[in-house]
Amino acid sequence: MVEDDALRATRDAYDAAAPVYAQLFRDELRDRPLDRAILSAFAEVVSASGNGQVADLGCGPGHITAHLDELGLAAFGVDASPEMIKLARDAYPGLRFDVGSMAALDIADGGLGGVLSRWSVIHTPPQELPVIFAEFHRVLAPGGHLLIGFSAGDDPSHAPQVFDHTVAPAYRWSPDHLAAMLHESGLAEVARMVRRPQPTDRRQFQEIHLLARKA
């Protein structure tokens, strides 16, 4: 199927790029105070729920999972790329990292206080997002929170926009449309952060973080 081919192509591309990706992004939070702030807020609301178990979905080489661990969460990472998971395990041997698919997570129903999806859905064909959002809802406990990061489109319509991501084709989304899709999956928006591009950024896209809660 087309979706399986897309997932396979994305996984293979990230397998090939894993060492370079890990080197480029290992210290990405150092110069991104707003990203650190939204991650800290996410950690605080998850901890307040009494269930600090968090899955970092699309964890890549594990640096954000490690940051969540430093913030006091019981964080573990999941990624479709075996090479990324190998790098994560090597870099952070005290943390758990699993190879897996966001569309079929090996996580119990209602087992998590939080889900982080940081730019992990950008390569997903639009018609497959409802399946993934349903999985996010399934694994979250009532009152659990999702923090999802993605690139925003310029078109105010609902149509996602394809862009030439370095690793694999990717999509930009209308924040309102993505928030509506989350709502349809039982995840209500709590807050959003919009980071406008800086003049030196290679891509002049807005970056969005949406914080949503399962009822």
Side-chain angles (χ1 to χ4, degrees):
M1 295 181 61
V2 173
E3 292 79 18
D4 291 339
D5 289 344
L7 174 60
R8 186 179 303 109
T10 300
R11 180 199 63 209
D12 292 349
Y14 273 99
D15 276 347
V20 173
Y21 186 99
Q23 183 65 32
L24 285 175
F25 290 98
R26 182 175 290 116
D27 299 319
E28 66 166 316
L29 291 178
R30 181 182 56 198
D31 300 320
R32 297 177 73 94
L34 294 178
D35 287 27
R36 295 197 305 271
I38 194 68
L39 288 169
S40 293
F42 171 67
E44 186 171 340
V45 295
V46 170
S47 296
S49 74
N51 180 355
Q53 189 83 0
V54 171
D56 178 10
L57 303 180
C59 65
H63 56 297
I64 302 298
T65 315
H67 184 72
L68 295 178
D69 176 72
E70 292 171 359
L71 292 174
L73 298 174
F76 65 96
V78 179
D79 201 282
S81 164
E83 289 301 317
M84 287 290 194
I85 291 298
K86 181 179 183 301
L87 289 174
R89 289 170 175 168
D90 289 345
Y92 309 102
L95 299 179
R96 170 187 159 195
F97 295 97
D98 300 326
V99 176
S101 167
M102 292 185 294
L105 294 164
D106 187 17
I107 299 171
D109 293 0
L112 302 178
V115 166
L116 177 66
S117 172
R118 184 179 165 84
W119 276 267
S120 59
V121 300
I122 63 171
H123 302 294
T124 302
Q127 66 272 21
E128 287 299 297
L129 269 189
V131 173
I132 290 174
F133 289 169
E135 274 293 89
F136 292 174
H137 181 271
R138 180 185 69 79
V139 300
L140 280 170
H145 285 80
L146 163 71
L147 180 62
I148 183 168
F150 57 97
S151 298
D154 301 321
D155 188 345
S157 75
H158 289 176
Q161 299 171 304
V162 180
F163 69 93
D164 59 340
H165 189 278
T166 304
V167 179
Y171 301 87
R172 295 188 288 161
W173 286 86
S174 156
D176 289 343
H177 182 43
L178 206 67
M181 291 180 68
L182 289 172
H183 189 268
E184 290 172 1
S185 299
L187 299 164
E189 181 181 353
V190 174
R192 71 176 67 177
M193 184 183 81
V194 179
R195 180 183 180 275
R196 302 193 184 280
Q198 301 302 303
T200 54
D201 290 347
R202 185 168 70 88
R203 291 194 180 92
Q204 293 296 297
F205 300 164
Q206 291 185 14
E207 295 180 354
I208 310 295
H209 284 86
L210 288 179
L211 181 67
R213 183 179 182 273
K214 178 177 175 177

